[in-house]
Amino acid sequence: MDLKIFKAINRLSGRIAFIDFLMILLSNRARYLFLFVLACMWLAKGPSRTAAKKAAAASLMAIFVNKVLKICYFRPRPFIKNKVGLLIPAKRDSSFPSKHTVVSFAASIVILYGNRFIGRILLWISACTGFARIWAGHHYPSDVIGGALIGGTIGWFTEKLSKPEIK
């Protein structure tokens, strides 16, 4: 099922240049949008700064958890075992979970608690980034869904376990 969904999405890559451009942009550059939003929130006062600090902590935790999972479980990327449309070069490390998705969802969930408007936008961008990773041939859908669940859980725990800031 995972491979069928992957092929249904990935077979569309390489057909429409503008869509491919958007998918490559999301896949490679969405993290800079997250960094920009975090920096702007960090420079603000009050709850935005607190949310940015928590999101940065959640992102670092997500990177750590992702590295541990990739060491403990290796799943070959789709382009290693199958003939797929590969839009951009990729590492040959484990496909599960998608690091882009884990980190973006962890930050988005924390920001959602601090600023619902920005958080919703970042959640959509996170989902689109995951989809773009499938489109580009780098991940299976389960890698992205797993990454979203892991990242979302890390973001939720970060929010729930963090102490409220005392002024």
Side-chain angles (χ1 to χ4, degrees):
M1 181 74 159
D2 202 24
L3 184 59
K4 283 184 180 183
I5 296 170
F6 169 80
K7 285 184 176 183
I9 295 169
N10 182 256
R11 86 173 73 142
L12 300 172
S13 72
R15 294 181 183 214
I16 305 168
F18 178 71
I19 302 292
D20 287 344
F21 171 77
L22 285 177
M23 294 299 162
I24 292 169
L25 188 68
L26 277 168
S27 185
N28 283 343
R29 304 289 184 240
R31 64 183 142 209
Y32 299 117
L33 177 63
F34 276 86
L35 287 172
F36 177 74
V37 170
L38 280 178
C40 290
M41 290 178 75
W42 196 291
L43 294 173
K45 301 276 189 228
S48 289
R49 177 178 278 176
T50 303
K53 288 178 183 179
K54 290 179 192 177
S59 296
L60 291 173
M61 180 58 71
I63 291 169
F64 174 76
V65 168
N66 187 70
K67 283 193 183 292
V68 170
L69 287 172
K70 284 186 182 257
I71 289 169
C72 295
Y73 176 73
F74 181 82
R75 180 181 190 189
R77 290 189 182 259
F79 61 85
I80 292 174
K81 286 192 156 193
N82 306 290
K83 185 177 180 182
V84 303
L86 191 62
L87 289 181
I88 44 181
K91 294 179 182 176
R92 294 183 160 276
D93 63 344
S94 180
S95 181
F96 181 84
S98 166
K99 180 175 72 174
H100 289 76
T101 310
V102 171
V103 175
S104 64
F105 269 89
S108 296
I109 292 295
V110 172
I111 291 171
L112 182 67
Y113 279 101
N115 185 316
R116 295 210 83 42
F117 178 73
I118 294 173
R120 284 182 186 134
I121 292 170
L122 291 179
L123 277 172
W124 273 105
I125 292 170
S126 297
C128 289
T129 299
F131 183 80
R133 301 295 291 170
I134 299 167
W135 184 282
H138 291 206
H139 291 286
Y140 293 103
S142 61
D143 301 334
V144 171
I145 292 167
L149 291 172
I150 293 165
T153 303
I154 291 169
W156 183 81
F157 271 113
T158 301
E159 181 60 35
K160 295 302 176 190
L161 298 177
S162 63
K163 295 178 183 174
E165 195 170 275
I166 300 171
K167 293 184 180 183

